[in-house]
Every structure is written in structure tokens, then in C-alpha cells.
Amino acid sequence: MTGNHAVLVFSIIRMAVRLLVLLSSLLFAFELASSAYNSDIKDTYSISLVVYNSLKKDKNLTYTVDIAYRGILLGAMKKLQDTSTFRFTTTEDPNYGPFLVSVNGVPGIPADHTYWELLAQLKNGTTIRPDVGVGCYIPNPDDMIILKFRKWDQEKDQGGVSFVSDEL
């Protein structure tokens, strides 16, 4: 075999290996997408949303809504607003996205140190404070979302996540 033929054969083998790697990657991506589509949760699932005012003795309001698979909380809240008595307003921060301003006509007022805190009680009973807001949080099936009206001074007194499920 001459030098030119060896270079040609090597180039063909290298191209065949690249093509094989590309086809393997595409097949893997197809299988991954197929398994995601065929998961247990294909369409929607229910979550609960509790409106809890820690500053008044008002009765907590609980709403249930179906949310799209891997849908954001903001979408579920908009759906609730369209189909129930639940109301909310947000303001858009250019860096951080939607910021919850009021729920059912009760606004957070910076001068009064009041705001709406986002909490989520997970299926296992653990209550967390998500590290994202309503525009990014993706609830899991059967999560209980808690919108808690509070003073930010309360955090000093109570520390950590301060929601107890039996307050519902």
C-alpha cells in the first residue's frame, strides 16, 4: 500500500468512527427523550396552595389546582386566578423575575416590614423555603405550597422555616 492509500484509508476509518459516535449520541438522546415522555406523570398533577396570614387570626384559605408536568408555580397561580377567588399581583424585577406583591388583596408593605413568604411542604412532610421565587419554582406532585404573610422581623424571633402544618 502506498503512502497516499494509507492516508486515505486512515481518513475513511476516522470519518466512520466520528459517524458512529454521532449516531450513538443521537440514539442515546432519542432514548432519553422517550423515557422522559413515558414517565409516570405525563400530563398534569395536583398541588395545594395555602394562603396563611401569620399576622391575623383569619382562616387559612386552601386551593387545589392541576399543574402541567414540570410547570412553574406562577403558571398554576395564574390558572387559579382564572378559575377561583384566588388573587395575586407581582412586580417584575429585571434581574430576579416576578416578585410576589399581594395575595387576595393583602399587599406586603416594606415600611411595615411585611411580605409574602413562599414555602413548600413536600410529600414527606418537610417544609422548605425554596431558593427561587414563584416564577422559577417547580412544584412536585402533591406538594402543598404555602404563601405566608409575615413580618421579616419574625425571622429573628422564630428562626428558620416557621410554618407548622397543624396551623392549617
Side-chain angles (χ1 to χ4, degrees):
M1 189 182 297
T2 65
N4 287 341
H5 285 3
V7 170
L8 181 62
V9 168
F10 180 73
S11 294
I12 290 172
I13 291 172
R14 192 170 68 192
M15 195 179 312
V17 168
R18 286 182 179 167
L19 183 60
L20 185 60
V21 168
L22 177 65
L23 288 173
S24 296
S25 298
L26 289 173
L27 183 60
F28 177 74
F30 176 76
E31 287 296 321
L32 189 61
S34 177
S35 67
Y37 180 76
N38 292 324
S39 70
D40 291 340
I41 303 169
K42 294 180 183 175
D43 298 317
T44 62
Y45 51 87
S46 293
I47 61 167
S48 297
L49 188 140
V50 176
V51 177
Y52 168 52
N53 187 334
S54 69
L55 304 180
K56 291 187 175 181
K57 297 295 180 191
D58 295 343
K59 183 180 176 189
N60 298 329
L61 299 173
T62 302
Y63 304 89
T64 302
V65 64
D66 287 338
I67 187 170
Y69 174 69
R70 302 293 297 156
I72 59 172
L73 177 56
L74 184 61
M77 291 170 64
K78 287 180 179 181
K79 185 176 180 181
L80 265 177
Q81 189 161 249
D82 291 342
T83 61
S84 72
T85 59
F86 176 74
R87 298 289 174 260
F88 74 99
T89 60
T90 60
T91 187
E92 188 73 25
D93 183 282
N95 296 308
Y96 302 107
F99 179 76
L100 190 59
V101 174
S102 72
V103 175
N104 289 342
V106 179
I109 302 171
D112 294 339
H113 295 194
T114 57
Y115 72 104
W116 283 97
E117 179 180 31
L118 172 61
L119 301 170
Q121 189 173 55
L122 308 179
K123 192 174 186 176
N124 68 7
T126 304
T127 301
I128 63 165
R129 181 182 294 128
D131 60 356
V132 296
V134 296
C136 295
Y137 185 69
I138 299 173
N140 291 306
D142 302 315
D143 275 1
M144 180 177 14
I145 304 304
I146 302 146
L147 302 179
K148 180 179 179 180
F149 190 66
R150 64 177 301 161
K151 284 184 168 274
W152 66 67
D153 295 345
Q154 286 176 312
E155 291 176 9
K156 294 179 201 167
D157 301 331
Q158 298 173 358
V161 176
S162 55
F163 176 79
V164 180
S165 62
D166 60 348
E167 292 176 332
L168 296 175

